């Protein structure tokens, strides 16, 4: 809450400083409201004045040629349908000058982001010119262009380093994110697929459908609850089992009585070196209905025994092809996949536990369990707590494990789930993938994407503010 207040205070101060600059600035500051380079020209910063003038000109040209035409259609997302018209001159069928709803949406989002950035630079530019005015009034030296460049190579080098990543974040994260958010409020699906068809705004209809309000089909709400529940259960167990499994495995390997420690570490590193998709596909085949594991269990009589007592109805164990069985097996297989990573992380942390604390505990008569509970585990958690949060979020979006183990392998018999193109083993992210790649249902996929984002964001904020922020090596050491 304090960080939120601080952030809002900074935004408020930015606007207050801008208003103060406009009110108290000289003629060059006021001219900068219309001409970005005016203030720098007045302070004899000619190169910066040219750069800001060209920047302003580029914004104006983009706005006139691209921005306004697309923004003007943003409210309707296009009105002219694609049609094939016969041209008697060329004796060929030609397309009319049609609208593309997705292109309109995409360039409208880009335009809004460009305008938002232009507004920020406009206000910041006025503030900066006002700062130059105050420095001139105090008789201080005003940097020339070469000196400004030198600042960005030395004192402000962090700004130079962050410039390219910020551009990448805007292009590959911010723009797609806003496009996805807007798509969730449209009817963009297989029946409204650009460029052959237009899609339009439908308000919150998709969210109503997702939460069981009808419209698309009532089964979507049913499927959403089932898939969301499994997503959270999977994320919880997948995170905790690999986290504690890695710690326990690391303690076992680093134990005083364990021999061949280097060999054990190398073996686990080899399992990591094997590509995950190869391991998962092999394991999937092992546990197939006619796979090696079912063959072995059938030969020793376990399959027949389970069939006799009514646990299974077929002559095989449906490890990955039936609800319940598949859920448990996916979590168990993930332990095998994920523990080596966590073991290596825990191994590095355990090697840095202050030895004097372990020696003090031993002198005081603490047994192994007491040492683990009161020293080892608090220290490991203080270091890896933030990673635990990111692991939970990662598992919410753990596409590989679920998809590779169940894709074209698990078939739902639940008609309500099938009507919504979902399976009992789907996570929200794999359901989203199926909706887009197999059924072109972009509107519902975008809606589910927003739900995933909200869940991950809320969990991260709550845990970091209430749990992780209160733990740390400093607190542990004290």
């Amino acid at each position: 809450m304090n960080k939120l207040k601080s952030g809002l205070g900074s935004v408020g101060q930015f606007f207050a400083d801008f208003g103060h600059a406009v009110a108290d600035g000289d003629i060059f500051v006021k001219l900068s409201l219309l001409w970005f380079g005016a203030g720098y020209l007045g302070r004899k910063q000619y190169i910066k004045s040219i750069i800001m003038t060209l920047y302003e000109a580029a914004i104006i040209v983009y706005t006139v040629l691209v921005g306004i035409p697309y923004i003007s259609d943003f409210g309707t997302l296009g009105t002219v349908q694609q049609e094939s018209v016969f041209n008697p001159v060329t004796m060929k069928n030609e397309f009319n000058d049609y609208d593309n709803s997705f292109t309109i949406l995409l360039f409208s989002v880009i335009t809004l982001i460009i305008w938002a950035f232009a507004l920020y630079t406009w206000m910041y530019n006025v503030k900066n010119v006002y700062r130059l005015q105050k420095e001139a009034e105090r008789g201080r030296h005003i940097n020339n262009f070469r000196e400004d460049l030198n600042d960005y190579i030395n004192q402000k080098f962090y700004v130079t380093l962050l410039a390219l990543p910020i551009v990448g974040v805007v292009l590959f994260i911010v723009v797609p994110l806003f496009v996805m958010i807007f798509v969730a409020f449209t009817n963009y699906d297989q029946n409204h697929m650009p460029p052959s068809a237009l899609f339009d705004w439908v308000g919150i209809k998709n969210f109503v459908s997702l939460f069981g309000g009808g419209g698309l089909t009532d089964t979507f709400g049913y499927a959403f609850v089932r898939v969301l529940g499994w997503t959270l259960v999977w994320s919880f167990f997948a995170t905790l089992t690999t986290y504690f499994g890695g710690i326990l495995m690391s303690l076992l390997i680093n134990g005083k009585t364990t021999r061949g420690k280097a060999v054990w570490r190398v073996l686990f590193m080899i399992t990591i070196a094997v590509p995950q998709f190869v391991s998962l596909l092999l394991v999937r085949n092992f546990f197939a209905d006619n796979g090696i594991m079912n063959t072995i269990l059938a030969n020793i009589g376990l399959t027949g025994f389970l069939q006799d007592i009514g646990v299974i109805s077929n002559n095989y164990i449906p490890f990955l092809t039936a609800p319940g069985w598949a859920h448990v097996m996916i979590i168990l297989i993930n332990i095998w996949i994920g523990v080596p990573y966590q073991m290596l992380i825990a191994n590095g942390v355990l090697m840095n536990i202050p030895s004097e604390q372990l020696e003090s505990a031993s002198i005081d008569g603490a047994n192994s369990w007491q040492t683990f509970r009161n020293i080892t585990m608090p220290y490991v958690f203080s270091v890896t707590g933030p990673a635990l949060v990111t692991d939970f979020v990662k598992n919410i979006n753990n596409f590989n494990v679920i998809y590779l183990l169940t894709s074209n392998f698990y078939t739902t018999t639940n008609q309500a789930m099938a009507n919504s193109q979902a399976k009992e083993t789907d996570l929200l992210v794999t359901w989203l993938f199926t909706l887009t790649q197999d059924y072109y249902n972009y509107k519902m996929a975008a809606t589910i994407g927003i739900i995933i984002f909200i869940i991950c964001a809320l969990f991260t904020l709550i845990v970091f503010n209430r749990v992780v922020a209160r733990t740390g090596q400093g607190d542990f050491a004290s």
Side-chain angles (χ1 to χ4, degrees), residues 16-33 38-39 43 123 125-137:
D17 291 343
F18 171 75
H20 183 67
V22 174
D24 299 338
D26 59 12
I27 184 63
F28 294 108
V29 175
K30 290 180 170 58
L31 281 175
S32 296
L33 293 170
R43 308 302 169 195
M123 298 177 68
N125 182 64
V126 172
K127 286 178 52 183
N128 194 48
V129 171
Y130 179 68
R131 179 184 60 82
L132 294 178
Q133 173 192 328
K134 302 303 290 185
E135 290 183 355
E137 291 173 353

Side-chain angles (χ1 to χ4, degrees), residues 36-107:
F36 285 12
Y40 301 110
L41 182 64
R43 308 302 169 195
K44 299 181 180 180
Q45 292 187 318
Y46 302 117
I47 297 179
K48 186 178 288 188
S49 175
I50 294 173
I51 292 174
M52 293 306 297
T53 301
L54 293 175
Y55 169 75
E56 182 180 9
I59 295 294
I60 294 174
V61 171
Y62 174 85
T63 298
V64 173
L65 298 181
V66 180
I68 292 178
Y70 281 109
I71 288 293
S72 62
D73 290 330
F74 185 60
T76 61
L77 296 177
T79 57
V80 181
Q81 186 85 20
Q82 184 189 80
E83 294 180 355
S84 179
V85 180
F86 179 75
N87 189 333
V89 177
T90 61
M91 301 298 290
K92 294 181 180 179
N93 288 326
E94 298 178 356
F95 288 114
N96 62 331
D97 187 15
Y98 60 90
D99 292 329
N100 187 316
S101 295
F102 187 79
T103 303
I104 293 172
L105 177 60
L106 175 61
F107 278 93

